[in-house]
Structures are given as C-alpha cells and as structure tokens.
Amino acid sequence: MTTLIEDNELDSELQELYSIGRLWVTDLELLAQDLTFLQKYLDKVLIQAIKQPHISNRDCTLMAEYLVRVGMLDTLRIELKESISNYMHIIEALIDKTTLSFPLSLVETQSLLEREINSLLRSYVSLKRDVLGKELLVPGADSAIRQQVYNHF
C-alpha cells in the first residue's frame, strides 16, 4: 500500500529518517572496528593460552566460543547494514522526488531496523562484558595487552 507525498512537513520527516539511517550506518562501521579489535585480542589470548600447559581446555573452549560470537555479531552487522542501505535508498528516492508515492511500511521498517540495531548493540555490549570480565590472559602474560583493551573500550 502506498500514499502520496503532499506536503513539505513529510519531506522533513523523510530527511530525519534518512539522517537516522546515516547514524546507524556510522554505528555499524564503529562496531566493525570494535569487533575486529576484539577478534584480534581473542586470537592473541587464545594463542598464548594454547602455549601454556596449565591452561585448561575449558578456558580455551570459552575463548573459542567468544570468537564464534564475534563472528556471528559481525555477520549480523553486515546483514543489518545491507538492510539499512536498502531502506535508505527508498528514502532517498522519496526525498529526491523520483517517486511521488511511498510505502506505508516505511514506518514499520524504520521500527524493525531500530529494534535490530539495538539488539545487535546490546549483544555486543554483553560479549564485551563477558570477554573483559574474565581473566583471559594467562598468568605472566603481558598486562599491557589487557590495558590496551580496557583503554580501547
């Protein structure tokens, strides 16, 4: 179902929706950097742990699970970024007046995307807390790495 664009107020609303979409894309780009950093950190910690004979298999398994979670979040981030990009193309066309009607589902899509990005960011914060809340570095490992991670976040 579609409706016709009839006033400038609607145009401003569309511009606002587009701006929100740009903010989401920026959030996802920053998240990509954080996930890359977290993955490199976990890779390094896992390699150090494997070299230590006194580190349990359970600890190594936990770190590997964290790496899987990082990968899953990154996959969700990529898919969400694509959905947001598609959504923004629809809004762009409406703003540029290349089309004079818009789907009523635009508001529903906005709401859905907002819920998805919020869920993704909450999952990331949970993962970050799990990783940084654990003593992941093996005894005697370089504490500068941990400090770098804490400073990064």
Side-chain angles (χ1 to χ4, degrees), residues 29-46:
E29 288 168 355
L30 291 172
L31 179 61
Q33 293 173 5
D34 282 355
L35 288 172
T36 298
F37 184 86
L38 195 57
Q39 180 176 8
K40 287 179 182 178
Y41 168 72
L42 287 167
D43 285 341
K44 190 169 190 171
V45 170
L46 185 57

Side-chain angles (χ1 to χ4, degrees), residues 7 15 22 47 62 70 86 100 105 108 115 117 134:
D7 61 351
Q15 299 232 357
R22 287 295 313 144
I47 289 169
L62 182 63
V70 168
N86 292 338
L100 294 178
S105 65
E108 292 170 5
R115 283 192 308 272
I117 196 163
K134 306 284 184 204

Side-chain angles (χ1 to χ4, degrees), residues 106-142:
L106 201 62
V107 175
E108 292 170 5
T109 303
Q110 172 81 15
S111 179
L112 174 67
L113 291 172
E114 185 173 8
R115 283 192 308 272
E116 287 180 8
I117 196 163
N118 287 338
S119 175
L120 177 63
L121 293 175
R122 278 192 304 275
S123 295
Y124 169 69
V125 168
S126 173
L127 173 62
K128 183 174 68 171
R129 283 185 186 144
D130 288 349
V131 169
L132 298 179
K134 306 284 184 204
E135 288 293 321
L136 289 180
L137 290 178
V138 296
D142 185 5

Side-chain angles (χ1 to χ4, degrees), residues 2-130:
T2 61
T3 188
L4 293 178
I5 295 176
E6 294 183 6
D7 61 351
N8 289 335
E9 186 176 321
L10 183 56
D11 222 24
S12 332
E13 292 293 326
L14 290 171
Q15 299 232 357
E16 185 177 336
L17 293 177
Y18 186 82
S19 295
I20 290 169
R22 287 295 313 144
L23 289 173
W24 289 343
V25 169
T26 301
D27 286 346
L28 292 176
E29 288 168 355
L30 291 172
L31 179 61
Q33 293 173 5
D34 282 355
L35 288 172
T36 298
F37 184 86
L38 195 57
Q39 180 176 8
K40 287 179 182 178
Y41 168 72
L42 287 167
D43 285 341
K44 190 169 190 171
V45 170
L46 185 57
I47 289 169
Q48 288 177 354
I50 290 170
K51 292 178 183 177
Q52 302 292 327
H54 60 278
I55 300 299
S56 72
N57 285 341
R58 183 180 173 276
D59 289 339
C60 290
T61 301
L62 182 63
M63 286 181 262
E65 288 173 4
Y66 289 152
L67 280 167
V68 168
R69 285 174 61 190
V70 168
M72 288 173 34
L73 288 177
D74 196 44
T75 299
L76 289 172
R77 179 196 62 79
I78 291 167
E79 291 170 357
L80 185 54
K81 188 174 179 183
E82 179 67 25
S83 295
I84 291 170
S85 178
N86 292 338
Y87 172 73
M88 289 175 62
H89 286 304
I90 293 169
I91 294 173
E92 264 179 351
L94 295 170
I95 291 171
D96 292 340
K97 307 278 193 263
T98 55
T99 180
L100 294 178
S101 64
F102 72 94
L104 291 177
S105 65
L106 201 62
V107 175
E108 292 170 5
T109 303
Q110 172 81 15
S111 179
L112 174 67
L113 291 172
E114 185 173 8
R115 283 192 308 272
E116 287 180 8
I117 196 163
N118 287 338
S119 175
L120 177 63
L121 293 175
R122 278 192 304 275
S123 295
Y124 169 69
V125 168
S126 173
L127 173 62
K128 183 174 68 171
R129 283 185 186 144
D130 288 349

